[in-house]
């Protein structure tokens, strides 16, 4: 049974990807900070697969140690998805209004923690010839008012995945921009606004599954470019 570690898998894209992998026979290790949501997610996933849910903040070294121990106990890791992320302060302030402490927290969660977690589980990834996916954003390559700290962190996340790819050519390493999704994080970025026109995060999962099935060369991808091709239905006679 292949093993995936998905950070931030109690809600949103992380949960939807976990649910799809569980249905496909993957064993899962998941985390998040809020125990009630994590327990609820784990209970739903447990009907489909073996799930280890470890509560904690990905920026906490002790929590990462617990994730590393769970992976080490299984001896291999087929897929690592860095999905947990923070926007930083919301409503999103101009960059000049972001305090150094707030900026540091965004970098800690979105860049330093994924880099440290990857390093911690690298032996298990090597054993499996594994895949590393960093969930990025168009904010990594575009410039939007208010998104400076988050965008800089996602650009750095892309960069560390590019470096990991050249340092470990035996692994597949992707930074993936999922596109806009109707989630708690997206609502926090647009407080008070109706975001019901944004796609459900479940709609992004087929693109991630296709990427994992086809394993193109390591690099940055947009989920929109990996949506499975829909063949037109047969015209009834
Ligand atoms: N939604 C969008 O439009 C959009 C667009 C582009 C990129 N993205 C990216 O897509 C990914 C998923 O976002 P989403 O919209 O699905 O978010 P979401 O629905 O808000 O879910 C975020 C998940 O991560 C967990 N999490 C957050 N901070 C954490 C931390 N410090 N340690 C451990 N777990 C943490 C959350 O649980 P707790 O809060 O309980 O910890 C939750 O399970 C993120 O990397 C995001 O940057 C999203």
């Amino acid at each position: 049974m292949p093993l995936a570690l998905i950070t931030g898998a109690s809600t949103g894209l992380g949960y939807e990807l976990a649910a799809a992998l569980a249905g496909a026979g993957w064993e899962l290790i998941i985390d998040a900070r809020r125990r009630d949501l994590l327990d609820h997610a784990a209970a739903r996933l447990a009907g489909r697969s073996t799930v280890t849910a470890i509560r904690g903040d990905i920026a906490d070294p002790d929590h990462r140690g617990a994730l590393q121990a769970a992976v080490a106990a299984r001896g291999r890791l087929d897929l690592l998805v860095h999905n947990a992320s923070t926007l930083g302060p919301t409503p999103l302030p101009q960059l000049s209004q972001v305090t150094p402490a707030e900026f540091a927290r965004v970098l800690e969660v979105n860049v330093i923690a994924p880099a440290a977690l990857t390093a911690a589980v690298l032996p298990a990834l090597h054993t499996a010839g594994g895949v590393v996916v960093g969930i990025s954003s168009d904010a990594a390559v575009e410039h939007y008012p208010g998104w400076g700290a988050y965008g800089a962190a996602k650009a750095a996340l892309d960069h560390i995945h590019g470096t990991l790819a050249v340092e470990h050519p035996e692994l597949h390493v992707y930074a993936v921009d999922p596109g806009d999704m109707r989630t708690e994080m997206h609502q926090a970025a647009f407080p008070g606004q109706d975001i019901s026109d944004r796609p459900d995060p479940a709609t992004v999962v087929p693109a991630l599954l296709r990427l994992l099935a086809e394993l193109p060369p390591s690099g940055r991808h947009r989920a929109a470019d990996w949506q499975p091709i829909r063949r037109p239905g047969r015209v009834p006679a």
Side-chain angles (χ1 to χ4, degrees), residues 30-47:
I30 61 171
D31 84 342
R33 293 164 300 171
R34 287 168 291 179
R35 180 172 295 288
D36 52 343
L37 291 179
L38 182 64
D39 287 350
H40 183 63
R44 289 173 69 193
L45 294 169

Side-chain angles (χ1 to χ4, degrees), residues 7-14 31-34 37 56-59 63 82-86 105 109 135-138 150 154 177-186 201:
T7 66
S10 62
T11 60
L13 178 61
D31 84 342
R33 293 164 300 171
R34 287 168 291 179
L37 291 179
D57 186 325
I58 199 63
H63 172 61
H82 297 297
N83 172 77
S85 173
T86 181
R105 169 72 183 168
V109 173
I135 300 297
S136 184
S137 168
D138 65 334
Y150 174 85
K154 291 295 191 182
D177 167 13
D180 285 354
M181 299 174 291
R182 192 170 65 245
T183 66
E184 185 179 356
M185 172 183 274
H186 197 89

